[in-house]
Amino acid sequence: MESEHMQIGEVAARTELSLRTIRHYEEAGLVVPSARSQGGFRLYTDADVARLMVIRRMKPLGFTLEEMRDLLDATDRLDAPGPREPGEREELLQRVRGFERAAAQRVADLRIQLERTEDFAATLRTRLEQTAPAAT
């Protein structure tokens, strides 16, 4: 069973997150190591890595820690076995759909921002080409 656990350094390499960032997400309650070694080292599973990847993907889209927590709570509850209250599954799916819509809108906004940035860079290139001294 020990072989399926990873220490924080391997998780950092797999997620491209710093050790400090992983610890911060742990302190914020977004991810909890699945176990601890006898020496007290944090141990993570593939499921923990997948959870960190969700967080990593949400961060550049500007989602807050609270929004990350809300989405993770909804997906955790959807994945949990056992009976649910009437309407709970649909309510959870609606929450996840809301995050999907928000992510899609943020991606669209970033595409517009990228286009404007590329236009600006092209304008600067043109300006430099126009003012560059003629080669003799």
Side-chain angles (χ1 to χ4, degrees):
M1 183 159 183
E2 190 73 23
S3 65
E4 56 189 53
H5 286 100
M6 296 164 267
Q7 289 189 359
I8 194 169
E10 182 179 347
V11 172
R14 288 181 62 181
T15 60
E16 298 177 346
L17 294 170
S18 69
L19 301 178
R20 183 177 177 180
T21 298
I22 295 169
R23 289 184 189 114
H24 171 70
Y25 291 147
E26 179 184 346
E27 289 170 9
L30 296 175
V31 66
V32 177
S34 291
R36 293 264 182 179
S37 70
Q38 289 182 345
F41 294 104
R42 295 166 173 86
L43 297 175
Y44 298 87
T45 62
D46 286 334
D48 299 324
V49 170
R51 188 176 186 88
L52 284 165
M53 292 301 293
V54 168
I55 297 165
R56 194 187 94 182
R57 290 177 180 124
M58 291 180 81
K59 183 70 175 155
L61 294 176
F63 287 101
T64 66
L65 293 177
E66 187 59 39
E67 289 169 322
M68 293 175 192
R69 191 175 294 110
D70 187 36
L71 175 63
L72 292 167
D73 174 66
T75 57
D76 287 348
R77 289 173 54 197
L78 279 170
D79 293 343
R84 290 193 176 80
E85 296 292 322
E88 180 183 10
R89 183 175 187 281
E90 189 53 41
E91 184 269 326
L92 293 169
L93 288 172
Q94 281 300 107
R95 281 172 52 192
V96 174
R97 286 183 192 108
F99 280 103
E100 189 279 329
R101 286 189 300 274
Q105 182 60 56
R106 291 173 188 193
V107 167
D109 293 345
L110 285 170
R111 284 193 174 112
I112 291 167
Q113 185 178 0
L114 178 59
E115 185 178 307
R116 290 176 181 162
T117 304
E118 289 172 335
D119 287 345
F120 174 66
T123 300
L124 292 176
R125 268 192 308 278
T126 301
R127 171 82 173 153
L128 289 170
E129 290 168 0
Q130 291 171 349
T131 60
T136 54

